Amino acid sequence: MRVVALVPGGIGEQILLFPTLDDLKRSYPNAQIDVVVEPRSKAAYRVSKSVNEVINFDFKDRNSLADWSNLVGMIRDREYDVAITIGRSWLVGLLLWLTGIPTRIGYQGKGAVFLTKTLPFNPSQYLPELYHHLLQPLGIQSSCPELTVNVPKPDIEWGQKEQQRLGVNETGYVLIHPGSSQLSPIYPANSWQQIIQEFQQKQPDLPIVLVQTAEDEQIVRSLLESCHHLKVTAPGNVGKLAAIVGGASLMLTTDSIALQLSVAVQTYTIALFADMEPAQLLPKSEKFLGIKSSTGKLADISPKVILEKVLGG
């Protein structure tokens, strides 16, 4: 069986689909599973064990008719038996209909008329469980498995060496991903500063490590100027980020790539949300706590509220 999944969105959205792809592979071990994703999201599949091929297509770009036609032709040439889409766009539904794939599975909505199997869309449900329902038309009635990632051995080894470089391999550490304006909602540097300084006073023996990417370099630099004894790690890919997250005693993050990796490696996590419901992005577990802004703005979450959860937990 050949299956293609169309998955718009960033790296976090891809990781949320991993339980569905993994369960599909378990149920049909000989299936070839390909995904169509935006170029920015291809990196997610470094830590997937179930996907054969990643096809790039920028769903959000101003694609011409020729671009859509090329994608249809590419999919038709591969002669898939099943198509799965997590989006509800009528255009994607039409695209799948044009491919001639016999089984086309998605959600009820604008594009449902072009699909052969549709399921209700419950926006308040934990997203991996919602996506997992798309396997029901294929005869898979099992419960949604836990979200996991397959970290390559070289990335695990890098994580071990990085902990040694930072001097935290024996003490443990709190990992903070402060967020960036481009990839995730930003939490103000002065609020992070207040949290870090009070935590260092209460827990001086537990190091704090900041995750730095190209997008959040500015906020990391600002925190280094105001907070003493901070350590910084700059993982070069999703696998390395998963490895360093997996070694942490606690993860403190905004709604970012690091959040779903933290869930996957079962690190205790406190996540900050602007307007998303934590129940959509966090499984029910004592290991994962979501703090949602009452105003829809991340900056309005009080550092005091976060510190109560961090120090109390």
Side-chain angles (χ1 to χ4, degrees):
M1 180 169 67
R2 296 174 64 90
V3 181
V4 62
L6 277 65
V7 196
I11 290 177
E13 283 81 1
Q14 310 303 315
I15 295 174
L16 289 166
L17 189 67
F18 280 12
T20 299
L21 300 176
D22 292 344
D23 211 16
L24 177 59
K25 190 68 174 180
R26 275 192 291 269
S27 300
Y28 296 93
N30 296 322
Q32 175 171 320
I33 303 172
D34 299 341
V35 291
V36 181
V37 305
E38 296 168 31
R40 65 188 174 115
S41 305
K42 184 176 182 179
Y45 292 90
R46 181 181 180 87
V47 292
S48 170
K49 60 186 177 183
S50 300
V51 170
N52 294 84
E53 183 179 359
V54 180
I55 301 168
N56 286 339
F57 185 78
D58 197 342
F59 293 97
K60 293 185 177 179
D61 197 10
R62 292 187 175 182
N63 297 297
S64 66
L65 183 59
D67 294 326
W68 288 103
S69 296
N70 288 338
L71 180 60
V72 169
M74 189 184 307
I75 292 176
R76 286 183 69 95
D77 288 345
R78 285 168 168 76
E79 298 182 344
Y80 292 109
D81 304 293
V82 177
I84 295 172
T85 176
I86 67 169
R88 292 180 293 157
S89 159
W90 72 268
L91 188 56
V92 172
L94 174 61
L95 179 149
L96 289 179
W97 177 71
L98 291 172
T99 64
I101 297 173
T103 301
R104 304 181 298 277
I105 305 170
Y107 294 109
Q108 296 169 1
K110 296 178 181 178
V113 66
F114 299 110
L115 305 175
T116 60
K117 305 286 184 180
T118 59
L119 293 96
F121 184 86
N122 180 2
S124 63
Q125 191 172 12
Y126 179 46
L127 289 177
E129 294 179 352
L130 177 65
Y131 297 155
H132 190 263
H133 291 164
L134 294 171
L135 299 181
Q136 291 179 2
L138 300 177
I140 300 173
Q141 303 293 331
S142 56
S143 300
C144 179
E146 290 185 346
L147 195 159
T148 60
V149 290
N150 185 41
V151 184
K153 184 178 179 181
D155 295 342
I156 295 173
E157 293 172 348
W158 176 89
Q160 294 168 343
K161 291 178 181 177
E162 182 71 353
Q163 289 180 44
Q164 293 174 354
R165 182 188 72 81
L166 295 168
V168 298
N169 53 308
E170 294 183 358
T171 60
Y173 53 96
V174 173
L175 192 64
I176 296 178
H177 188 270
S180 68
S181 57
Q182 293 183 19
L183 295 181
S184 57
I186 192 165
Y187 191 61
N190 60 340
S191 296
W192 280 124
Q193 178 184 342
Q194 184 177 336
I195 292 167
I196 291 168
Q197 289 177 340
E198 185 161 342
F199 183 85
Q200 287 180 326
Q201 290 177 0
K202 298 287 180 63
Q203 299 285 347
D205 296 327
L206 189 58
I208 296 177
V209 179
L210 299 180
V211 175
Q212 177 180 304
T213 66
E215 290 76 16
D216 46 38
E217 184 176 348
Q218 184 175 349
I219 190 171
V220 169
R221 188 187 305 117
S222 174
L223 291 173
L224 288 174
E225 291 174 355
S226 59
C227 300
H228 301 297
H229 310 302
L230 284 178
K231 301 173 186 290
V232 178
T233 184
N237 59 51
V238 173
K240 290 179 179 179
L241 179 57
I244 203 71
V245 170
S249 304
L250 173 68
M251 179 79 194
L252 185 56
T253 180
T254 57
D255 178 10
S256 66
I257 299 168
L259 171 59
Q260 296 308 325
L261 291 175
S262 193
V263 171
V265 298
Q266 293 286 304
T267 294
Y268 283 92
T269 304
I270 296 176
L272 311 181
F273 296 96
D275 51 4
M276 287 291 290
E277 289 295 333
Q280 290 180 277
L281 296 171
L282 293 175
K284 294 178 181 178
S285 169
E286 294 181 354
K287 284 190 171 185
F288 312 118
L289 173 66
I291 300 175
K292 183 186 176 184
S293 171
S294 59
T295 65
K297 296 180 180 179
L298 204 63
D300 291 339
I301 299 177
S302 166
K304 182 180 178 181
V305 171
I306 299 169
L307 279 163
E308 286 175 353
K309 302 298 183 182
V310 172
L311 296 173

Short mmCIF file of all heavy atoms in Angstrom, two decimals, residues 159 163 168-169 172-175 241-250 265 267:
data_model
loop_
_atom_site.label_atom_id
_atom_site.label_comp_id
_atom_site.label_asym_id
_atom_site.label_seq_id
_atom_site.Cartn_x
_atom_site.Cartn_y
_atom_site.Cartn_z
N GLY A 159 24.31 15.28 21.96
CA GLY A 159 23.67 15.76 23.17
C GLY A 159 24.47 15.43 24.42
O GLY A 159 24.58 16.25 25.34
N GLN A 163 26.21 18.28 26.86
CA GLN A 163 26.01 18.37 28.31
C GLN A 163 27.35 18.44 29.03
O GLN A 163 27.50 19.19 30.01
CB GLN A 163 25.22 17.16 28.80
CG GLN A 163 23.76 17.17 28.39
CD GLN A 163 22.99 15.97 28.91
OE1 GLN A 163 23.14 15.60 30.07
NE2 GLN A 163 22.18 15.37 28.07
N VAL A 168 26.90 20.27 32.72
CA VAL A 168 25.62 19.99 33.37
C VAL A 168 25.29 18.49 33.36
O VAL A 168 24.19 18.10 33.75
CB VAL A 168 24.47 20.77 32.69
CG1 VAL A 168 24.71 22.26 32.81
CG2 VAL A 168 24.33 20.37 31.21
N ASN A 169 26.22 17.68 32.90
CA ASN A 169 25.93 16.25 32.76
C ASN A 169 25.72 15.55 34.09
O ASN A 169 25.08 14.51 34.15
CB ASN A 169 27.04 15.55 31.96
CG ASN A 169 28.43 15.82 32.54
OD1 ASN A 169 28.80 16.97 32.75
ND2 ASN A 169 29.20 14.77 32.78
N GLY A 172 22.25 17.96 36.17
CA GLY A 172 20.94 18.20 35.58
C GLY A 172 20.81 19.67 35.23
O GLY A 172 21.70 20.48 35.57
N TYR A 173 19.72 20.06 34.58
CA TYR A 173 19.58 21.46 34.18
C TYR A 173 18.14 21.76 33.80
O TYR A 173 17.36 20.87 33.44
CB TYR A 173 20.50 21.79 32.99
CG TYR A 173 20.36 20.87 31.79
CD1 TYR A 173 19.55 21.21 30.70
CD2 TYR A 173 21.04 19.65 31.74
CE1 TYR A 173 19.44 20.37 29.60
CE2 TYR A 173 20.93 18.80 30.65
CZ TYR A 173 20.13 19.16 29.58
OH TYR A 173 20.01 18.33 28.49
N VAL A 174 17.80 23.04 33.92
CA VAL A 174 16.53 23.55 33.42
C VAL A 174 16.80 24.13 32.04
O VAL A 174 17.74 24.91 31.85
CB VAL A 174 15.95 24.63 34.35
CG1 VAL A 174 14.72 25.27 33.71
CG2 VAL A 174 15.61 24.05 35.70
N LEU A 175 15.99 23.75 31.07
CA LEU A 175 16.16 24.22 29.70
C LEU A 175 15.05 25.22 29.39
O LEU A 175 13.87 24.94 29.62
CB LEU A 175 16.11 23.05 28.73
CG LEU A 175 16.55 23.29 27.29
CD1 LEU A 175 18.03 23.65 27.23
CD2 LEU A 175 16.28 22.06 26.43
N LEU A 241 18.29 19.03 18.94
CA LEU A 241 17.41 19.71 19.88
C LEU A 241 16.67 18.69 20.74
O LEU A 241 16.55 18.86 21.97
CB LEU A 241 16.42 20.59 19.12
CG LEU A 241 15.39 21.35 19.96
CD1 LEU A 241 16.08 22.22 21.00
CD2 LEU A 241 14.49 22.21 19.06
N ALA A 242 16.18 17.62 20.13
CA ALA A 242 15.50 16.57 20.89
C ALA A 242 16.44 15.95 21.92
O ALA A 242 16.03 15.64 23.05
CB ALA A 242 14.97 15.50 19.95
N ALA A 243 17.70 15.77 21.56
CA ALA A 243 18.67 15.16 22.46
C ALA A 243 18.93 16.04 23.67
O ALA A 243 18.98 15.54 24.81
CB ALA A 243 19.96 14.88 21.71
N ILE A 244 19.08 17.34 23.46
CA ILE A 244 19.37 18.23 24.59
C ILE A 244 18.13 18.44 25.44
O ILE A 244 18.21 18.58 26.66
CB ILE A 244 19.97 19.58 24.10
CG1 ILE A 244 20.78 20.24 25.22
CG2 ILE A 244 18.92 20.51 23.57
CD1 ILE A 244 22.07 19.55 25.56
N VAL A 245 16.95 18.42 24.82
CA VAL A 245 15.70 18.50 25.58
C VAL A 245 15.52 17.25 26.44
O VAL A 245 15.10 17.33 27.59
CB VAL A 245 14.50 18.68 24.63
CG1 VAL A 245 13.18 18.52 25.39
CG2 VAL A 245 14.55 20.05 23.95
N GLY A 246 15.88 16.10 25.88
CA GLY A 246 15.70 14.85 26.60
C GLY A 246 16.55 14.73 27.86
O GLY A 246 16.20 14.00 28.78
N GLY A 247 17.65 15.48 27.92
CA GLY A 247 18.51 15.43 29.10
C GLY A 247 18.12 16.40 30.19
O GLY A 247 18.70 16.37 31.29
N ALA A 248 17.15 17.27 29.94
CA ALA A 248 16.79 18.31 30.90
C ALA A 248 15.92 17.77 32.03
O ALA A 248 15.15 16.82 31.85
CB ALA A 248 16.05 19.45 30.19
N SER A 249 16.05 18.39 33.19
CA SER A 249 15.18 18.07 34.32
C SER A 249 13.82 18.73 34.17
O SER A 249 12.80 18.20 34.61
CB SER A 249 15.83 18.54 35.63
OG SER A 249 17.12 18.00 35.79
N LEU A 250 13.81 19.90 33.52
CA LEU A 250 12.58 20.66 33.31
C LEU A 250 12.74 21.49 32.04
O LEU A 250 13.80 22.05 31.79
CB LEU A 250 12.30 21.57 34.50
CG LEU A 250 11.12 22.55 34.35
CD1 LEU A 250 9.79 21.81 34.31
CD2 LEU A 250 11.12 23.58 35.49
N VAL A 265 9.92 13.26 24.22
CA VAL A 265 10.99 12.62 25.00
C VAL A 265 10.65 12.56 26.48
O VAL A 265 11.48 12.16 27.30
CB VAL A 265 12.34 13.33 24.78
CG1 VAL A 265 12.76 13.23 23.31
CG2 VAL A 265 12.31 14.79 25.22
N THR A 267 10.08 14.85 28.86
CA THR A 267 10.70 15.77 29.82
C THR A 267 9.61 16.59 30.50
O THR A 267 8.67 17.04 29.85
CB THR A 267 11.68 16.72 29.09
OG1 THR A 267 12.78 15.95 28.58
CG2 THR A 267 12.23 17.79 30.02
#
